[in-house]
Amino acid sequence: MNIQNPRYNAHGTIDIDIEHPDYGWIPYTASPDDIHSEVCRSRYAAALAGEYGEIAPYVAPVPTVEELAAQYERAVQQHLDAIAKDYGYDDIKSAVTYADEPAVPRFQAEGLAFRAWRSLCWDYCYSLLDAVQAGTTPLPALEDVIAGLPALEVSYGE
């Protein structure tokens, strides 16, 4: 049986390619902890011993633009929610609901400020995303995106 192309995977086990008599080359994962297959454990040991060639290191897949955008979006949303929580709200959505509530001027002022700030933050993020996708701006680190968000400005009319 021909076995080739050993490489570590994200789980620390070893992926190899095995030439199957009916199906040709098929992927196979060899693990030292497989309790159901001695063959699997022996192939793992053989790979470690170099019988199938040098084991290539694990290479993480490069995230897509969509995956990166989703990651950044989650982080920005968490930041917006964290600032709202600092003011005593459950999240940014609950803070914004006070914008149209005149019964307590302080809450209305904060609601208006959070609503405007949320819009400014997302405008900044989507403008940045457009520039990155157009190739006019390199992808900034997530920390830099958060640091570059507009500041929340609350005016209590005093």
Side-chain angles (χ1 to χ4, degrees):
M1 180 169 290
N2 291 323
I3 299 175
Q4 65 181 19
N5 197 20
R7 61 222 176 259
Y8 286 104
N9 59 39
H11 306 289
T13 53
I14 300 173
D15 291 336
I16 54 178
D17 297 327
I18 297 176
E19 188 175 26
H20 189 276
D22 296 325
Y23 303 111
W25 289 99
I26 59 171
Y28 183 92
T29 298
S31 169
D33 303 320
D34 190 323
I35 59 172
H36 303 292
S37 173
E38 174 59 37
V39 171
C40 183
R41 293 189 302 273
S42 67
R43 286 185 177 149
Y44 182 86
L48 281 181
E51 293 181 28
Y52 311 135
E54 185 177 343
I55 304 171
Y58 171 68
V59 177
V62 175
T64 66
V65 171
E66 292 80 14
E67 291 168 333
L68 284 172
Q71 176 187 358
Y72 280 49
E73 183 177 308
R74 282 189 305 275
V76 169
Q77 186 64 52
Q78 289 171 351
H79 175 74
L80 297 176
D81 289 338
I83 299 300
K85 286 178 183 180
D86 288 347
Y87 277 76
Y89 298 99
D90 293 334
D91 54 27
I92 187 92
K93 290 180 293 221
S94 72
V96 167
T97 64
Y98 286 89
D100 296 321
E101 176 53 62
V104 179
R106 179 174 68 95
F107 292 154
Q108 186 176 32
E110 290 173 356
L112 289 166
F114 273 106
R115 186 169 65 187
W117 179 61
R118 178 184 62 183
S119 295
L120 293 169
C121 286
W122 287 118
D123 180 61
Y124 167 81
C125 290
Y126 287 114
S127 296
L128 182 59
L129 177 62
D130 289 345
V132 169
Q133 288 178 325
T136 58
T137 300
L139 179 68
L142 185 53
E143 302 79 30
D144 294 335
V145 172
I146 300 297
L149 291 173
L152 173 65
E153 297 179 12
V154 181
S155 173
Y156 295 103
E158 296 167 1

